[in-house]
Amino acid sequence: MLRRRLCLAALSGLLFALPITAGCAAPRRGPAVPYELQDRAIIPGMSARMRTWGSDLNPEFYAAMIDSVHREQAALAKAGHTGPMPRAEFLALSGGGANGAFGAGLLCGWTEAGDRPRFKLITGISTGALIAPFAFAGPEYDGVLREVYTQITTRDLLKKRGFLAAVYNDAMADNRPMWNTLAKYVDEKLLAAIAAEHHAGRVLVIGTTNIDARRAVLWNIGEIAASGHPKALELVRSILIASASIPAAFPPVMFDVEVDGKPYQEMHVDGGAMTQVFLYPPSFNLSDATRAEAIQRDRRAWIIRNARLDPDWAQVDRRTLSIAGRAISALIHTQGIGDLYRIYLDAQRDGVDFNLAYIPHDFKAESKEPFDKEYMSLLFQRGFDMARNGYAWDKTPPGYVPGS
């Protein structure tokens, strides 16, 4: 809903501004990383272990994942654990704008129910990226999740620009309010909590889209938090903002990178431009990788889709913007369902137990603005009640009937 509205606003501004040719300068940027150098670009002062392409894991990122298991084993041994490793619990949080209130409420209700797992891996995209750090830091941050997803309003996240921004700026809205709001919650204390969980062998990964390369990028947030780099907090905030920056609606986030000491800039936008939710790249065969490393354990994946899965019917006006907005909404909806099937197939291949939650079809509240506090509060409470009362997670993607 939020994505459709903001994309529609961006398209509207573009259509009205196209005939105007006044001499206003667009925002400047540094040179993009040349195609042949993309794989070698790094954040200055940071290890190559901190990020990888979403299509495959580079060797450094892969090594960081394996090292996380060794740290986990050491932490378990220190705590007196003996015998086989405990089951690994994975959590994937999807995009969905204000609908992230559902996932936030579900996690808080899960804590109340008393059986919320301590997740080995948490991944996030867009609004899921904003939930993920607090879910990773633990139930003590449930109060923050409740506050963010029941008290935040549209003006806390964006400021609309004039329609000329479609031509002479980089987005239809100014996201400085979002930066200010994020700085209130993502602070040094949270960064230290993420680093501590990283040292205990847990993994937090956030997805963005490198729009120059038109490829997904996965960021190991724990690796960054534990790096000791003086700009680690600034980088984490930038990644979270980038993951939630809907193209044309919100400004992109520019990352300064280098190749062999030469500076370049990458432009990153919403991770949802590439995928609505992810667990790990399909090219990464978890079964083969863990067998090669002699890692034996059960695994269970929990996927929270911050959206409904049934199509929402509406009579569409025979106007360009109405048709375009409806089509964008349909594309996002079907992409999200396709992502669930991809995760399910990977889980079946790798022996990972699949569990899916989503906004139920009978939730009928309507949002009056991109971030409607009343709507989000109702949705948060619905997710909370579902989890607290023992939610029956789906075992397959929507419409899929396993063969006999």
Side-chain angles (χ1 to χ4, degrees):
M1 185 180 297
L2 167 68
R3 187 184 302 271
R4 180 178 65 185
R5 286 181 176 178
L6 292 178
C7 287
L8 191 58
L11 179 60
S12 176
L14 179 60
L15 289 175
F16 282 110
L18 280 176
I20 300 174
T21 58
C24 299
R28 295 182 179 275
R29 62 160 298 177
V33 181
Y35 173 81
E36 65 276 9
L37 300 179
Q38 292 178 99
D39 292 346
R40 296 167 53 199
I42 62 171
I43 301 292
M46 289 282 185
S47 165
R49 292 162 59 96
M50 57 164 279
R51 68 177 194 165
T52 186
W53 295 118
S55 54
D56 201 1
L57 302 184
N58 64 41
E60 294 84 1
F61 197 95
Y62 176 86
M65 297 298 103
I66 299 301
D67 286 348
S68 78
V69 179
H70 297 156
R71 291 195 304 274
E72 183 184 5
Q73 290 171 326
L76 288 168
K78 186 177 180 180
H81 177 84
T82 58
M85 293 190 72
R87 179 169 51 200
E89 308 280 2
F90 304 152
L91 174 65
L93 297 160
S94 85
N99 284 338
F102 171 74
L106 196 76
L107 286 167
C108 293
W110 206 349
T111 300
E112 188 78 8
D115 57 353
R116 172 175 157 181
R118 185 170 184 263
F119 301 104
K120 162 66 178 177
L121 166 70
I122 296 180
T123 69
I125 285 283
S126 198
T127 196
L130 302 180
I131 298 171
F134 305 110
F136 188 76
E140 56 267 36
Y141 278 86
D142 282 4
V144 175
L145 282 176
R146 178 183 288 274
E147 181 176 337
V148 169
Y149 281 95
T150 63
Q151 299 303 314
I152 294 297
T153 65
T154 302
R155 64 176 174 271
D156 295 314
L157 299 175
L158 63 92
K159 181 179 180 181
K160 293 182 180 179
R161 292 170 171 166
F163 71 89
L164 287 178
V167 173
Y168 302 123
N169 219 312
D170 55 3
M172 296 305 298
D174 184 344
N175 66 354
R176 276 177 287 186
M178 184 188 295
W179 283 95
N180 295 334
T181 298
L182 190 74
K184 175 182 175 182
Y185 298 103
V186 180
D187 54 14
E188 291 287 357
K189 180 182 177 182
L190 178 62
L191 194 73
I194 293 172
E197 296 301 327
H198 171 82
H199 288 309
R202 298 177 63 218
V203 180
L204 172 61
V205 179
I206 300 300
T208 65
T209 298
N210 180 329
I211 202 70
D212 293 319
R214 205 165 66 177
R215 298 173 72 179
V217 177
L218 308 184
W219 302 79
N220 187 334
I221 302 299
E223 193 78 25
I224 298 169
S227 68
H229 195 285
K231 293 187 176 181
L233 179 59
E234 177 185 336
L235 179 58
V236 169
R237 288 172 177 168
S238 296
I239 293 166
L240 298 179
I241 293 288
S243 186
S245 294
I246 300 170
F250 289 128
V253 175
M254 307 304 300
F255 289 91
D256 293 323
V257 299
E258 64 181 22
V259 178
D260 297 332
K262 186 174 181 178
Y264 297 97
Q265 267 196 335
E266 294 176 350
M267 181 183 291
H268 287 241
V269 298
D270 193 339
M274 297 302 297
T275 181
Q276 292 295 304
V277 63
F278 72 98
L279 200 55
Y280 48 81
S283 60
F284 176 66
N285 189 308
L286 181 61
S287 295
D288 289 349
T290 53
R291 191 179 302 114
E293 299 291 337
I295 300 170
Q296 296 184 350
R297 66 194 310 183
D298 292 332
R299 298 173 181 85
R300 183 164 56 178
W302 307 89
I303 295 89
I304 298 179
R305 175 71 175 122
N306 292 303
R308 290 170 46 157
L309 296 185
D310 56 311
D312 59 326
W313 184 93
Q315 178 171 309
V316 181
D317 293 336
R318 193 171 177 178
R319 293 188 176 91
T320 302
L321 295 181
S322 297
I323 296 168
R326 188 68 173 168
I328 290 170
S329 179
L331 284 169
I332 294 168
H333 179 79
T334 54
Q335 179 198 29
I337 291 177
D339 290 335
L340 297 178
Y341 272 84
R342 171 177 46 78
I343 293 174
Y344 179 76
L345 291 175
D346 291 343
Q348 291 293 297
R349 178 195 66 192
D350 295 333
V352 179
D353 184 42
F354 178 92
N355 300 271
L356 171 65
Y358 50 90
I359 299 174
H361 66 87
D362 62 349
F363 181 77
K364 301 298 186 181
E366 294 186 5
S367 179
K368 300 179 179 64
E369 57 178 298
F371 289 90
D372 183 332
K373 188 165 69 172
E374 181 180 354
Y375 170 85
M376 293 167 66
S377 295
L378 290 171
L379 185 54
F380 179 97
Q381 192 62 45
R382 183 61 182 274
F384 183 92
D385 291 341
M386 287 168 58
R388 181 183 56 186
N389 296 330
Y391 179 64
W393 296 68
D394 283 16
K395 304 300 294 184
T396 61
Y400 180 78
V401 179
S404 59

